[in-house]
Every structure is written in C-alpha cells, then in structure tokens.
Amino acid sequence: MTAAPWEPKLERLDDAAHPEALVDVYPQLRALVDSYNARVVAHMLGVDPAQVSRWLEREAPISDVMATRIFAAHTLIARAHQVFTPPNVAPWLIGHEPLLGGARPIDVLVLRGMGPVLAALDGVEDGVYA
C-alpha cells in the first residue's frame, strides 16, 4: 500500500535549538545493544565487544566512521522492524534478498550504503517481487 505523497509545508525553518541531539549516536548505540547485545552489535560494526562497552560507558569517544556505522545499522534495523515481524528481521538481514540481486542486506549496507537496502525494504513492504 503506497502512502499519500509527503508534501512538507515548510516555508521557513529556524536553526535547531539542540542540534547535538540529532548527531548524538549514543542513544542509537544503546538501542542496538538493548535490542541485541554488545557482542552482536560489535560484530555488526566490525569492532571488539569491549569497544562497544567502552563507548557505552563513555570511556572512549566514538569516531566519525563508527558513528556513521552506528547510525546506518540503527536506521536499517529499525526500518526492518517496521516491515517485518521481529522473528523475520534477522533472517532477512543475513539472508539473500532478490530485490538486492540475491545479496545479503547487511552486506549491501556495508558495500553500497543504506539507500539500496532501504529501497528494498520499501519494495518488500509494497509487495514487490524480484
């Protein structure tokens, strides 16, 4: 089912009052760890599980590269949970998706970014078959 077109009615947009809230990836990292666990999230991000713990304890800063990975993983997994029931998210993420040419969504995220994977999720949601 396709939603009605989104037409923002903004004529003016002031600067954000608290822009740091938009770039702070700690809440997203916490959500990923709470949903899975530090070990799984570490494997997702390509780091040692102890690093995830150090980040959560704020004993080590999150680099820009890692912040981008956390943002992408959180966005993708959150969207997948909007499309699938919880037991179907993990198999989809590491399964072979026809709308991605048979590639694994998690691999496409790493190699090509969020765009193609989010488009595939939109296609699944809309009932598109490859």
Side-chain angles (χ1 to χ4, degrees):
M1 182 171 128
T2 304
W6 182 9
E7 298 179 25
K9 304 287 189 226
L10 287 174
E11 297 298 325
R12 180 178 160 214
L13 182 62
D14 293 330
D15 291 342
H18 301 282
E20 65 281 357
L22 297 170
V23 297
D24 181 5
V25 296
Y26 286 97
Q28 294 171 332
L29 178 61
R30 171 52 60 199
L32 287 169
V33 170
D34 287 350
S35 297
Y36 294 94
N37 63 53
R39 184 184 56 76
V40 170
V41 172
H43 289 287
M44 232 184 264
L45 300 174
V47 299
D48 187 271
Q51 184 63 48
V52 173
S53 296
R54 285 191 292 274
W55 289 335
L56 289 173
E57 296 298 322
R58 300 200 185 225
E59 295 171 356
I62 298 175
S63 71
D64 290 344
V65 169
M66 285 298 130
T68 299
R69 287 183 192 179
I70 293 165
F71 175 77
H74 180 274
T75 301
L76 171 61
I77 292 170
R79 181 69 178 115
H81 275 276
Q82 293 172 340
V83 174
F84 298 108
T85 59
N88 295 311
V89 171
W92 184 81
L93 284 170
I94 60 173
H96 298 279
E97 173 52 60
L99 294 174
L100 295 170
R104 296 181 341 146
I106 197 74
D107 295 333
V108 174
L109 173 67
V110 170
L111 297 172
R112 296 177 41 210
M114 281 191 295
V117 186
L118 293 174
L121 280 167
D122 289 346
V124 169
E125 187 175 51
D126 290 341
V128 174
Y129 297 94

